[in-house]
Amino acid sequence: MFALRLKTALTAAGYEPRPSVLEREFNLRYWGSPITFQAVRRWLRGDSIPSQDKLQVLARWLSIEPQVLRYGEQASQVCAPMQATRVVPVNGEEDEVLRIYRDLPEEQRQVLRQVILAFARANDLQPGDSQESS
């Protein structure tokens, strides 16, 4: 049963298997639209199973393979834990750029990251700094 595997994975990762905890922590790691309290409550009650993209985020965060979380099968490799990130609202232009960036090959993303960091250094910005657009 998915709900039991999810609760077990949450507890093993040091989190209380409560909807409020799951909602907060999941939304810190998910790039899509935030999930609701009701949705995570259905996951924890076993009324529904998250979509594949959400299952991938859960699995990576909780250091468990997606198929183990979904089906209970033992797998040979454990995913690396995902670090929480802060939520930053984006406008349509930023969303477009982020979507394109995510679809680029890894090598091109690394080049683009280096270009952005060079611009940041040239403008005396540190990673994590943010400025409001005018």
Side-chain angles (χ1 to χ4, degrees):
M1 163 186 244
F2 172 78
L4 180 59
R5 289 188 296 274
L6 178 58
K7 289 175 188 175
T8 301
L10 282 163
T11 302
Y15 296 92
E16 290 183 73
R18 296 183 326 161
S20 60
V21 172
L22 180 54
E23 176 192 19
R24 179 189 68 234
E25 295 297 326
F26 179 87
N27 284 329
L28 287 173
R29 294 164 173 84
Y30 185 61
W31 283 84
S33 298
I35 58 168
T36 64
F37 180 87
Q38 292 80 15
V40 295
R41 188 176 61 177
R42 286 192 299 270
W43 296 351
L44 290 170
R45 288 191 337 208
D47 295 338
S48 67
I49 295 176
S51 60
Q52 188 61 27
D53 64 325
K54 292 176 179 71
L55 189 72
Q56 294 285 335
V57 171
L58 283 169
R60 187 151 180 218
W61 162 40
L62 298 171
S63 300
I64 187 170
E65 288 206 31
Q67 68 265 21
V68 174
L69 190 56
R70 174 163 263 171
Y71 303 110
E73 300 170 3
Q74 290 303 318
S76 61
Q77 183 180 5
V78 176
C79 298
M82 183 180 229
Q83 297 298 317
T85 58
R86 66 186 166 118
V87 176
V88 179
V90 296
N91 64 31
E93 183 180 275
E94 292 167 331
D95 185 55
E96 176 187 26
V97 170
L98 288 171
R99 289 177 195 275
I100 292 168
Y101 172 83
R102 284 188 219 119
D103 289 337
L104 292 173
E106 177 64 26
E107 299 81 27
Q108 291 177 350
R109 287 196 311 261
Q110 290 300 321
V111 170
L112 187 54
R113 181 177 182 275
Q114 293 304 316
V115 170
I116 291 169
L117 290 173
F119 277 116
R121 283 189 297 272
N123 289 284
D124 293 322
L125 299 175
Q126 297 297 316
D129 288 352
S130 66
Q131 294 182 345
E132 295 297 319
S133 311
S134 303

